[in-house]
Amino acid sequence: MSLTKITNIDALELEDGVQNAAFQEDEDRPHSEPAIVSFTGQEEVAYTQIKPYAGMPKEVLMLYSKQARYRVPREILFWLIIVCTLVLIGVTIAIVALSPRCLSWWQVSPVYQVYPRSFKDSNADGVGDLKGIKEKLSHFDYLNIKAIWISPFYKSPMRDFGYDVEDFRQIDPLFGTMQDFDDLLASMHDKGLKLIMDYIPNHTSDEHIWFQLSRNGTEPYKDYYIWVNCTEDKPPNNWVSVFGNSTWEYDETRKQCYFHQFLKEQPDLNFRNPLVIQEMTDIIHFWLQKGVDGFRMDAVKHMLEAKHLRNEPQVDPDQDPSTVDTEFELFHDYTYSQLGLHEILTNWRVEMDIYSREPGRHRFMVIESYDYEEIEKTMRYYGTSYATESDFPFNFYLLDLPDALSGNRAKELVDVWMKNMPEGKWPNWVVGNHDKPRIATSAGREYVRAINMMLLTLPGTPTTYYGEEIGMVNVNVSVIQDPFGKFNPNNSRDPQRTPMQWSDKINAGFSDNETGTWLDIAPDYDTVNVEAQQADSNSIISQYRTLSLLRGAELALSRGWFCYVRSDTNVFAYLREMDGKQNAFLVVLNFGEDTETDLLSVSELPDVLTVHLSTTPINQKTFSKSRIPTSKGQGLLLQYSTNKRFHSNHASECYVSEKACYFPALDILYKC
């Protein structure tokens, strides 16, 4: 049986110039003549009078698409795409699984501490302020620094220069307004800078509204602070404050004693009261919602005290108890690092992590706790295997380097941190801050460059106190402002807090106030200033900048292995290397006298090392590893290329926070 299908060619609109012979116009055939296609049974017979062409109708396309010569290539292409897609997904998953965690902003950049009273004065009152910081944001760009820690600028009576807070949600008028803060934060974020605030949980000012209501017995503030029964002339126990004398102060209004571990104008909060914890947690949320990038948590070891109020044991049992009036004369078994402290800090970490979910917006948490020889207490602030606490606690051990300056001492202080740090954690290094003498004074000007080189080439995050990048020194101020110094002039912190030296202009470019500044300007400001040093390629600030840029550019320095090579009376030497990277660095620091170092026994080093940077001018561009001369206070950064890895054969001398290898073919890192 045969069927006939008629297709009207008039339905196909052909344009002039179509080259398909089957569709050339035939003037001899009437336009109404149909094209006939026959089908036998259910079997379709192909068009015989036309070939495939561009723009063919659906009916023609469907006929040709089923032919093997068209169907097979199409199916091959389809399955090839599927296979390639699956391979690409698999490779992506493998790369993600094998890639080490990316470094966060607080690991990539040094942290720079700004003491706002002394950084830059914008309104000529002799005191630094927030607008002044904003004016100098380009300074951080120059130094390749992205993380800025600003000391307190809360509303305060300034008994302890901002560490006595009257209102945690207000800016002190001395520093500006909340709008000034918002403008500063926005400008910082526009430049890719991060702002770390000082958070002061242990105490408030006695002018804080909470304390005023607490001393009056007003609920719920009655127990916001620590009150005990006592008499005016007899404190409850022998506890001594950080600033000296008793930690107890009798209050005439409440007829009780309140507890203070710092000044009597800084009463301690009662963190055994859940309402206080919630109040302080709300303050964290307030600033995080404004967009701050992290907190430096001040004096946390003081936050809890033993309830029993027993006397603390004396360091010298034979000392007359009536003469005990400084913190170092007691063992602080009942006032420092009490049970429950880490639970509070861990919960704050959880609250901060809520704001860290956005990529690139990790909220940083660093702890301040001077634990001296009890380093295990400091390490506890890293958290545990089941609960994260701070990103790191500040490492203050290098502050002791000037006490016995030598290569051996430098290694000892570095090693005390590296040996005790929990596995996989991130180290950090501090050589100066607002509480300690400047390194240029305590160690000596001749060692500043080498110490900065050490700071920027050790593994982990370096912290730089303002002015250390130009080698500022302590200043003997004419009038003591520091309350600690008023109790004991030898302990005054004013000398390391003097105004930043920007130029050789009036007040070192810090302020236009013609009557002076809040603390004296250093007499050497005409030569030791930012402007002069930026013009000198061999200056302290130029070398600091070079090392900061190199640290950010070289994987070996930013996240590679750290290995001890040599230490003696004069020299401290170590390696920085990365698996898969031929390029590596040897750092040789002289903290003693002129000497020559022989590293011939270090087989992993090539015979010739290239000078990448010397802190003192030298003509020699290469050194033999058997003869590396250094002068007093000199730092050498030597570069070399080798496939040999030192850490493979010296595991006990090497450390890395997270192992990673470099794959040069794809220019990627992978776990190894």
Side-chain angles (χ1 to χ4, degrees), residues 63-188:
L63 289 175
Y64 280 96
S65 66
K66 295 180 180 179
Q67 293 182 11
R69 59 176 173 171
Y70 298 110
R71 187 186 73 252
V72 172
R74 186 173 67 248
E75 291 179 353
I76 291 174
L77 184 61
F78 171 78
W79 288 111
L80 186 61
I81 292 173
I82 294 296
V83 170
C84 289
T85 302
L86 293 175
V87 169
L88 184 60
I89 292 172
V91 170
T92 302
I93 293 173
I95 290 175
V96 171
L98 292 174
S99 295
R101 181 180 55 84
C102 293
L103 297 183
S104 189
W105 57 266
W106 54 272
Q107 296 171 305
V108 172
S109 169
V111 172
Y112 187 102
Q113 182 188 356
V114 169
Y115 193 68
R117 295 179 70 95
S118 295
F119 196 65
K120 184 66 173 72
D121 172 19
S122 70
N123 59 359
D125 65 354
V127 180
D129 47 50
L130 297 179
K131 284 185 176 180
I133 298 172
K134 182 182 174 184
E135 287 178 13
K136 291 297 183 179
L137 293 183
S138 59
H139 183 62
F140 308 125
D141 288 335
Y142 175 81
L143 295 174
N144 192 41
I145 287 174
K146 304 299 181 185
I148 318 301
W149 156 33
I150 305 179
S151 294
F153 45 80
Y154 305 105
K155 185 178 181 182
S156 167
M158 296 295 165
R159 301 283 187 175
D160 191 19
F161 300 116
Y163 284 94
D164 51 323
V165 181
E166 181 181 343
D167 190 334
F168 286 101
R169 292 178 172 86
Q170 294 294 327
I171 306 296
D172 194 273
L174 186 70
F175 300 121
T177 65
M178 187 61 77
Q179 186 60 54
D180 293 334
F181 170 80
D182 292 338
D183 291 344
L184 171 62
L185 183 61
S187 296
M188 290 180 67

Side-chain angles (χ1 to χ4, degrees), residues 98 100 561 578-580 647 658-662 670-672:
L98 292 174
W561 285 89
M578 165 73 75
D579 287 312
H647 72 83
E658 185 177 356
K659 293 181 182 179
C661 294
Y662 178 71
Y670 64 94
K671 295 177 183 177
C672 54

Side-chain angles (χ1 to χ4, degrees), residues 363-380:
R363 303 307 171 97
F364 174 65
M365 177 176 171
V366 58
I367 296 294
E368 183 227 29
S369 181
Y370 288 91
D371 295 303
Y372 304 102
E373 69 276 3
E374 296 179 297
I375 192 171
E376 69 281 355
K377 290 185 177 180
T378 303
M379 293 300 164
R380 180 61 181 81

Side-chain angles (χ1 to χ4, degrees), residues 296-313:
R296 174 259 191 188
M297 297 201 167
D298 177 70
V300 297
K301 73 176 183 181
H302 301 278
M303 285 170 55
L304 290 171
E305 304 76 28
K307 296 179 182 179
H308 53 63
L309 304 183
R310 297 174 191 155
N311 281 345
E312 291 189 315

Side-chain angles (χ1 to χ4, degrees), residues 153-428:
F153 45 80
Y154 305 105
K155 185 178 181 182
S156 167
M158 296 295 165
R159 301 283 187 175
D160 191 19
F161 300 116
Y163 284 94
D164 51 323
V165 181
E166 181 181 343
D167 190 334
F168 286 101
R169 292 178 172 86
Q170 294 294 327
I171 306 296
D172 194 273
L174 186 70
F175 300 121
T177 65
M178 187 61 77
Q179 186 60 54
D180 293 334
F181 170 80
D182 292 338
D183 291 344
L184 171 62
L185 183 61
S187 296
M188 290 180 67
H189 286 170
D190 286 345
K191 289 180 173 290
L193 304 176
K194 305 291 185 179
L195 191 154
I196 304 165
M197 281 185 64
D198 241 321
Y199 176 70
I200 308 163
N202 179 69
H203 50 265
T204 69
S205 164
D206 60 352
E207 296 184 24
H208 197 292
I209 186 62
W210 297 344
F211 186 76
Q212 296 303 315
L213 294 171
S214 182
R215 77 191 324 172
N216 291 327
T218 304
E219 296 291 355
Y221 302 99
K222 181 179 179 181
D223 294 324
Y224 267 39
Y225 298 83
I226 300 161
W227 297 92
V228 298
N229 293 323
C230 68
T231 60
E232 190 170 357
D233 59 348
K234 186 173 177 57
N237 54 34
N238 72 340
W239 295 357
V240 175
S241 83
V242 172
F243 288 143
N245 296 324
S246 176
T247 58
W248 300 99
E249 183 71 15
Y250 183 77
D251 183 67
E252 284 288 351
T253 302
R254 185 154 164 167
K255 305 301 182 184
Q256 285 183 304
C257 283
Y258 64 85
F259 180 68
H260 61 92
Q261 293 208 57
F262 293 87
L263 296 174
K264 63 183 178 63
E265 293 86 1
Q266 295 170 293
D268 276 36
L269 286 164
N270 178 15
F271 275 93
R272 300 197 186 280
N273 183 341
L275 294 178
V276 171
I277 295 177
Q278 187 57 54
E279 290 272 19
M280 297 307 290
T281 303
D282 290 344
I283 289 165
I284 290 175
H285 282 281
F286 174 82
W287 291 104
L288 289 177
Q289 287 167 6
K290 275 193 161 290
V292 302
D293 301 287
F295 294 105
R296 174 259 191 188
M297 297 201 167
D298 177 70
V300 297
K301 73 176 183 181
H302 301 278
M303 285 170 55
L304 290 171
E305 304 76 28
K307 296 179 182 179
H308 53 63
L309 304 183
R310 297 174 191 155
N311 281 345
E312 291 189 315
Q314 295 180 190
V315 173
D316 179 4
D318 298 326
Q319 182 179 355
D320 181 354
S322 65
T323 65
V324 173
D325 62 358
T326 67
E327 63 169 328
F328 296 107
E329 294 174 303
L330 294 176
F331 292 110
H332 297 279
D333 296 342
Y334 309 138
T335 52
Y336 292 178
S337 306
Q338 297 296 292
L339 188 65
L341 169 63
H342 292 285
E343 181 182 355
I344 296 172
L345 296 176
T346 299
N347 288 336
W348 283 346
R349 171 79 269 175
V350 171
E351 296 297 322
M352 292 179 66
D353 284 344
I354 295 172
Y355 297 83
S356 297
R357 294 169 183 167
E358 182 182 346
R361 290 304 308 274
H362 175 80
R363 303 307 171 97
F364 174 65
M365 177 176 171
V366 58
I367 296 294
E368 183 227 29
S369 181
Y370 288 91
D371 295 303
Y372 304 102
E373 69 276 3
E374 296 179 297
I375 192 171
E376 69 281 355
K377 290 185 177 180
T378 303
M379 293 300 164
R380 180 61 181 81
Y381 293 110
Y382 274 114
T384 64
S385 57
Y386 55 86
T388 302
E389 204 163 305
S390 68
D391 292 295
F392 55 70
F394 268 138
N395 171 7
F396 297 121
Y397 289 90
L398 283 179
L399 291 170
D400 295 333
L401 179 60
D403 296 341
L405 192 62
S406 71
N408 285 330
R409 181 61 169 163
K411 181 190 174 182
E412 177 188 345
L413 294 174
V414 170
D415 200 44
V416 73
W417 191 270
M418 301 305 287
K419 283 194 305 187
N420 288 280
M421 184 178 66
E423 185 178 358
K425 295 301 182 180
W426 190 258
N428 73 101

